[in-house]
Amino acid sequence: MQIDLGEVRETGTAPPGRPPVPYKALLAALSVVLAGLLGGAAHRGPPDEPTIVPARIGDDTWVIGDRLYVVGSGRLENGEPATERTVTGYALPDVELVSRTAVPLEGEIERIEPAGDVLLVSYRFDADGTRTVVAVRTGTGERLWQRFVRLVDASPEAGTVLLADDRRFYLADLATGALRWRVDRPADGFVAEAGFRSGRASWLVTVTDSGRLETRDARTGRVIATARVAGHRNRANGQVWPTGDVMLVQDGDEYYGFRLPELTRLWRTDADIMHSWGQSDCGVVLCAYRMERGIMALDPATGVQRWTSDRWAYAEAAGAYLLASSQDRTVGTPWLWVLDPATGTVLGDFGEWQGAGPAADGRIYGVREMPGKYVISYGVLDPATRRAEILGQAGMISGGCQAAAGVLYCRRVDASIAVWRLG
């Protein structure tokens, strides 16, 4: 059915949340359309017709919490990009129009975040990458404040927003932008947000070349714990990475694992994780991603290297398994591989299916294409069996499919958005 774009009713309160980085490279829903069924896949029967949300070429789509947002690309004015873009919000899973907000901005949008009756939009202001956050009243477009910073997260319950730039972190008033406190980055150190819960940072972690460690409450700025390690150069370049409640820090020529936020030293690892980074949830192991290629998995309890492989570009937990994407995928090879996280052993794959987002019980939603036909099949992928349960097929789909907030949404060939209710 077609969405009615008539009168907009009052906006409801949308829950905050940091968009999970979009299921990253592994589970990002790409432009897909489907050909044939995966061998042995089951089919539930004909799906409901999708709801169609109007959109144009160049419009952005975001799902934050239980809201779908369509961000207009802006019309050209005298050959120059418009300085205002319209953000239209729909409540999911019913795809009900709830708000339309004019947002003043001039640049590439990086993120939007609803926070009660405030809409936060973060964008790059110019070619040199200057970041800007603007806060407007949802539904009215009233500009509340604007700052040249990066948006970390927001807490509408507390009426605050956490911001950052190259020099410091700030906690500001959500409605006015007034600063409540700040944490400066040391001249010889690095500050990072950590401990994300429901899309919000729990702590700020400081590490310095001189060996000072510190954790602070990200909501109050209060110091939680401090510790010392041996001095080491270049910590100001971010040679530290927190993953969940474990942080790895270089101490001399070695790396140590610390429990966050107490900064309790857990173990020393002999694994060579120099020039690595770690952010994603790898379940029962810590994943260290090498700058050049490959993954190393560490035991979070002991720091012992479980396994390493140059084959994988990315991995993420799905229940008791890891789903991995290949470093050098070629046409005709699988998109998703199922690994045993304890050993790195390949258990199977999903053929031409691509991940679209998490489902229940460790499963994920997936899509598969029919090349050149603008047709997709979508279903539920089970890592335990490496089988797909087909939920439906759809035509006139150009790609951009993702599953979130109880729906699957895809761009159609006319740039509009098709939304199917899942479950």
Side-chain angles (χ1 to χ4, degrees), residues 40 46 58 113 133 137 159 174 244 248 302 318 320 341 343-344:
E113 182 160 344
V133 175
R137 190 76 64 190
L174 180 62
L248 271 71
T302 65
T343 65

Side-chain angles (χ1 to χ4, degrees), residues 351-399:
E352 290 298 312
W353 286 88
Q354 300 180 56
D361 304 322
R363 299 177 298 165
I364 66 168
Y365 292 108
V367 291
R368 190 181 173 188
E369 69 174 347
M370 183 177 291
K373 300 295 184 181
Y374 296 109
V375 176
I376 66 163
S377 285
Y378 56 94
V380 180
L381 312 183
D382 188 347
T385 62
R386 276 77 72 189
R387 292 169 63 89
E389 179 184 9
I390 308 298
L391 300 179
Q393 287 186 315
M396 303 301 291
I397 302 298
S398 63

Side-chain angles (χ1 to χ4, degrees), residues 304-339:
V304 172
Q305 177 182 312
R306 290 278 190 87
W307 53 269
T308 185
S309 174
D310 291 338
R311 182 177 179 181
W312 311 118
Y314 191 78
E316 192 155 351
Y321 302 91
L322 283 183
L323 294 182
S325 59
S326 176
Q327 188 79 44
D328 301 303
R329 183 185 180 274
T330 58
V331 176
T333 60
W335 289 91
L336 293 177
W337 300 81
V338 182
L339 309 184

Side-chain angles (χ1 to χ4, degrees), residues 1-2 14 47 64 66 86 88 99 103 108-109 130 133 142 169 213 240 258 270 273 276 288 315 334 336 380 419:
M1 67 178 173
Q2 184 79 22
I64 316 294
D66 64 352
T86 300
T88 306
S99 65
V103 179
E108 178 185 356
I109 292 180
T130 301
V133 175
E142 175 192 358
F169 279 80
L213 307 182
V240 53
F258 288 83
D270 294 325
I273 58 175
S276 299
L336 293 177
V380 180
V419 184

